[in-house]
Amino acid sequence: GIGSKLCGMLGKERGRGWRRRGNLLPATDGDTKTMTFLQEVVDILLAYIVESFDRETKVIDFHYPNELLQMNNWELQDEPATLDDILISCRATLKYAIKTAHPRYFNQLSTGLDMVGLAADWLTSTANTNMFTYEVAPVFVLLEYVTLKKMREIIGWTDGRGDGIFSPGGAISNMYAMLLARFKMFPEVKEKGMSSVPRLVAFTSEHSHFSIKKGAAALGIGTESVICIKADESGKLIPADLERRILEAKQKGFVPFFVSATAGTTVYGAFDPLIAISDICKKYNIWMHVDGAWGGSLLMSRRHRWKLDGVERANSVTWNPHKMMSVPLQCSALLVREEGLMQNCNQMHACYLFQQDKHYDLSYDTGDKALQCGRHVDIFKLWLMWRAKGTIGFEAQIDKCLELSEYLYNKIKDREGYEMVFDGKPQHTNVCFWYLPPGIRYMEDKEERKKHLHKVAPVIKARMMEYGTTMVSYQPQGDKVNFFRMVISNPAATFEDIDFLIEEIERLGQDL
């Protein structure tokens, strides 16, 4: 075939003038030059992939922003660069990139690199199409239909009925949910705007993701209309406080329209009590959304899905496979229980895209139910990984990450120099703790101790990055000073990597 013929010509091309500008496809006779160039790019990528999984390599080659700018000429020029320069740019970009696939990278909720997912991402970029109509993305549109249905079945909705869409991240999925809740209660808002509706209020936990307030700001509802409900010591929303605040709002003449429960809070990894929340939402006729961006993937695990009991009673669910399922970024789904609502809420009937006299089933033209016109193909990565692993493969991967977090918790809960931020074993893979260096362990003045402890995590984190050995996040929460928030979603991580993390924190923090 043509592929093997082109591969046979690669050696000859490498020594000739393929590096000149303008020789790649669609240039005449650009096929072999394109093969040679892309093979060189693939060689760079493969070397980086192998290096990323090597524990002897650094997670990060850290430089300050001004240093990176001075070391590299990244200004855009009028004249085209040579292909040699392009390859140099590729190498430099990866040299200073964070190795998010590294087994000791624990910094974010999205970590790891799946080889099948990566292959699917390459294919997606090669196909380079838009998700708005079946006519330009037939396979991808059908795969999205099949996968969203499967996800709705896993949530527990009868026969997987309902609707959904893949969006650019959990924040946008959450905003979609708020948009739908408002339209469901006041459909006239679509045409007449916020002046046509009463003062709306939404409710969410004080530990919920900032995207709930950001969505309210973007939709013209306002951040002051998002009422934060108290959480208990482990970070779970308190249902009695939710009901009290709903009644307060109603007495003031406000209209409660949206409750966002969190399944896996960002910092503590807490799961709000969904059954109790759904009872309250039903009682007061309020849309119930579950932000399962972080914790939704536990639905894949028979051992852990009980933490989301009651999710099937929600009106909408956010679920990010790019987190616990390690699908390459980005991959976030909003699932909606009521079919047709998204279409009615968002459609604008653009006649140049959504002609009503097409020769196929128009229900597969999904673009008019999205806020975007141009929509990236995010489905293929998830679908191909699901084919490769099966549901049981994802389940094993998720169970292993939770097992590692329990191992970390058991290792440090009684270890000298560590204090847990809250009692009890972690609900998700979040393990929140303080490391107390020897110099402040026995300080009697509590305020002085607190002041010193607040500075410990940032210094250790900075040293981690400068040495390049590992990365883990920290933050304050409420009146609690800076603490480490360890999260495990990387399938490459092992018990030995957890041991290394603890030893490294102690090594880097001994003198503080």
Side-chain angles (χ1 to χ4, degrees):
I2 191 168
S4 56
K5 182 182 175 185
L6 289 174
C7 288
M9 299 170 75
L10 286 180
K12 296 174 186 174
E13 284 296 325
R14 282 180 191 271
R16 300 211 290 256
W18 72 272
R19 288 179 165 85
R20 291 194 303 275
R21 304 169 184 138
N23 287 334
L24 303 179
L25 287 172
T28 307
D29 298 326
D31 48 0
T32 53
K33 297 176 180 67
T34 297
M35 281 287 287
T36 307
F37 170 68
L38 289 179
Q39 186 61 55
E40 293 237 11
V41 174
V42 168
D43 289 346
I44 292 168
L45 297 177
L46 293 177
Y48 178 78
I49 291 165
V50 171
E51 195 179 70
S52 292
F53 288 95
D54 182 358
R55 287 172 175 81
E56 298 303 311
T57 64
K58 289 183 173 185
V59 175
I60 176 177
D61 182 5
F62 179 77
H63 292 78
Y64 289 96
N66 61 322
E67 292 176 337
L68 268 185
L69 285 169
Q70 288 168 10
M71 290 161 57
N72 299 275
N73 179 15
W74 285 330
E75 295 301 316
L76 296 170
Q77 310 294 338
D78 292 337
E79 294 299 314
T82 65
L83 293 180
D84 268 342
D85 289 334
I86 297 303
L87 292 173
I88 288 168
S89 294
C90 290
R91 290 189 187 95
T93 300
L94 290 177
K95 174 176 168 53
Y96 302 114
I98 313 303
K99 293 184 179 70
T100 56
H102 198 289
R104 291 171 181 169
Y105 175 76
F106 304 108
N107 205 63
Q108 309 299 148
L109 304 183
S110 304
T111 62
L113 183 62
D114 185 273
M115 295 303 106
V116 173
L118 177 63
D121 221 359
W122 289 352
L123 186 149
T124 297
S125 292
T126 305
N128 191 31
T129 194
N130 194 322
M131 284 295 287
F132 49 31
T133 62
Y134 177 84
E135 69 182 271
V136 298
V139 177
F140 297 134
V141 164
L142 293 177
L143 295 183
E144 186 173 73
Y145 172 82
V146 166
T147 308
L148 289 170
K149 184 173 186 289
K150 179 71 171 177
M151 294 170 84
R152 291 191 298 267
E153 287 172 2
I154 290 170
I155 286 170
W157 293 337
T158 308
D159 299 326
R161 286 199 294 268
D163 208 340
I165 201 162
F166 282 87
S167 78
I172 303 299
S173 292
N174 287 340
M175 188 173 76
Y176 264 119
M178 190 176 279
L179 179 72
L180 293 173
R182 183 178 67 178
F183 178 79
K184 176 70 175 173
M185 188 172 279
F186 296 102
E188 65 271 23
V189 76
K190 178 178 176 179
E191 294 175 353
K192 296 178 181 175
M194 286 296 290
S195 61
S196 67
V197 300
R199 169 77 182 273
L200 303 179
V201 285
F203 304 84
T204 192
S205 161
E206 60 184 346
H207 282 230
S208 68
H209 194 260
F210 67 86
S211 59
I212 305 302
K213 283 191 173 182
K214 188 168 275 197
L219 294 174
I221 293 162
T223 57
E224 289 184 1
S225 295
V226 178
I227 296 170
C228 291
I229 307 304
K230 287 177 186 172
D232 64 18
E233 281 301 305
S234 64
K236 298 180 181 185
L237 178 146
I238 300 171
D241 191 54
L242 171 64
E243 185 162 24
R244 180 178 70 81
R245 299 303 296 274
I246 288 171
L247 289 170
E248 269 182 17
K250 287 169 77 72
Q251 283 164 6
K252 291 176 182 175
F254 302 156
V255 178
F257 82 108
F258 182 80
V259 170
S260 179
T262 312
T265 58
T266 310
V267 179
Y268 282 14
F271 289 81
D272 289 343
L274 302 184
I275 292 173
I277 292 168
S278 68
D279 286 342
I280 293 167
C281 289
K282 185 177 180 183
K283 182 176 178 181
Y284 297 102
N285 194 29
I286 304 172
W287 181 286
M288 178 184 170
H289 174 62
V290 174
D291 177 7
W294 175 222
S297 297
L298 269 60
L299 289 168
M300 304 288 276
S301 166
R302 285 166 290 188
R303 190 184 304 170
H304 295 285
R305 70 166 288 141
W306 63 268
K307 295 168 186 176
L308 289 98
D309 280 353
V311 69
E312 72 283 353
R313 297 169 69 175
N315 297 95
S316 56
V317 177
T318 292
W319 177 350
N320 285 12
H322 70 226
K323 291 190 167 82
M324 273 302 283
M325 293 165 74
S326 288
V327 176
L329 284 155
Q330 61 197 20
C331 188
S332 172
L334 175 76
L335 296 312
V336 184
R337 191 166 59 182
E338 183 179 333
E339 196 170 357
L341 188 65
M342 289 192 81
Q343 187 79 7
N344 292 334
C345 179
N346 296 323
Q347 67 183 352
M348 290 293 158
H349 306 287
C351 59
Y352 70 94
L353 280 177
F354 310 114
Q355 302 91 340
Q356 296 304 296
D357 49 3
K358 290 182 181 182
H359 62 290
Y360 59 82
D361 182 348
L362 296 178
S363 68
Y364 292 105
D365 279 359
T366 56
D368 217 9
K369 69 182 179 184
L371 288 175
Q372 302 160 262
C373 178
R375 188 161 68 91
H376 188 260
V377 177
D378 293 328
I379 182 56
F380 192 62
K381 299 169 288 191
L382 172 58
W383 179 84
L384 200 65
M385 283 176 64
W386 209 322
R387 293 281 278 199
K389 293 174 185 286
T391 306
I392 59 168
F394 276 126
E395 178 182 44
Q397 178 180 312
I398 290 161
D399 286 350
K400 179 196 166 192
C401 288
L402 280 136
E403 192 180 344
L404 287 175
S405 68
E406 194 166 343
Y407 173 78
L408 171 62
Y409 168 73
N410 288 329
K411 189 177 175 73
I412 65 174
K413 66 178 180 178
D414 300 316
R415 187 181 180 97
E416 187 182 6
Y418 291 84
E419 283 183 19
M420 306 310 297
V421 173
F422 58 89
D423 293 331
K425 71 177 186 178
Q427 303 157 63
H428 203 343
T429 69
N430 309 51
V431 183
C432 298
F433 61 92
W434 288 285
Y435 170 67
L436 288 76
I440 64 171
R441 273 174 213 172
Y442 307 108
M443 278 186 178
E444 291 183 9
D445 186 328
K446 286 187 177 179
E447 283 307 309
E448 192 67 16
R449 182 176 182 266
K450 201 172 173 181
K451 194 167 79 175
H452 279 77
L453 186 56
H454 188 61
K455 298 174 183 175
V456 169
V459 173
I460 293 176
K461 173 66 177 287
R463 291 176 178 180
M464 283 177 178
M465 292 178 70
E466 283 160 11
Y467 280 101
T469 49
T470 186
M471 285 177 72
V472 61
S473 186
Y474 72 86
Q475 68 285 299
Q477 175 85 40
D479 61 351
K480 294 177 170 65
V481 299
N482 282 323
F483 55 88
F484 285 111
R485 178 208 64 170
M486 174 68 170
V487 284
I488 304 165
S489 60
N490 190 342
T494 63
F495 294 108
E496 289 75 22
D497 296 314
I498 305 300
D499 294 337
F500 173 85
L501 175 77
I502 296 306
E503 289 162 13
E504 191 67 355
I505 287 173
E506 291 171 0
R507 180 180 79 85
L508 297 173
Q510 278 293 315
D511 63 326
L512 296 178

